[in-house]
Amino acid sequence: MNIKEKFGFKVKQLRERKGFSIEYLANISNVDRTYISDIEKGKRNVSIQIMEKIILALDADFIEFFNDNNFKK
Amino acid sequence: MNIKEKFGFKVKQLRERKGFSIEYLANISNVDRTYISDIEKGKRNVSIQIMEKIILALDADFIEFFNDNNFKK
């Protein structure tokens, strides 16, 4: 997986773990629903500000979000 | 600090810790020197692909880079 795919995979994993629909995550993060869907598919070169909106909406922070062996180099 | 500033601060900290100049980091990461300078000042809404180039050039990965209390929410 490239970094865009790794990021999207983790977003989807945390979103599903919290029982959130894409629509709900879109509403609480204030990021467009289709944009979140594309992120989860690894299609978007997401910016740090969008990352922050999504990570906070998932009740996480950058420390927790990236503390995952999938992000090992 | 906002998230762009936190990211820039950490880049600068790791770069200086490694004894790299901005010019050297620019060369090994393949990111423009002025862009890195702006990132360190917290002026850039950097993308995940640029983040990866810089983090890898600093001999780190996303896990290590964000494992810092400064990124606590």
Side-chain angles (χ1 to χ4, degrees), chain A residues 8-69:
Chain A
F9 183 83
K10 186 67 182 266
V11 168
K12 186 178 167 117
Q13 191 181 52
L14 287 187
R15 177 179 64 72
E16 290 178 343
R17 206 178 284 164
K18 296 201 71 78
F20 293 174
S21 65
I22 288 183
E23 184 107 32
Y24 181 73
L25 179 58
N27 287 335
I28 62 170
S29 64
N30 204 28
V31 175
D32 193 80
R33 186 175 52 76
T34 58
Y35 201 76
I36 290 184
S37 173
D38 280 353
I39 288 170
E40 289 193 355
K41 292 174 190 149
K43 289 181 179 172
R44 291 288 177 170
N45 188 18
V46 63
S47 73
I48 196 164
Q49 287 183 322
I50 298 284
M51 288 166 75
E52 185 183 42
K53 284 184 175 187
I54 293 171
I55 289 171
L56 293 178
L58 291 167
D59 286 328
D61 58 27
F62 280 74
I63 306 176
E64 290 168 63
F65 187 93
F66 287 108
N67 186 21
D68 183 319
N69 278 333

Side-chain angles (χ1 to χ4, degrees), chain B residues 14-47:
Chain B
L14 287 188
R15 177 178 64 73
E16 291 178 343
R17 205 177 286 164
K18 295 200 72 77
F20 293 173
S21 64
I22 289 183
E23 184 108 33
Y24 182 72
L25 179 58
N27 287 336
I28 61 170
S29 64
N30 204 28
V31 176
D32 193 79
R33 187 176 52 76
T34 59
Y35 200 77
I36 289 183
S37 173
D38 281 353
I39 287 169
E40 288 193 356
K41 291 174 190 148
K43 289 180 179 172
R44 292 287 178 170
N45 188 19
V46 63
S47 73

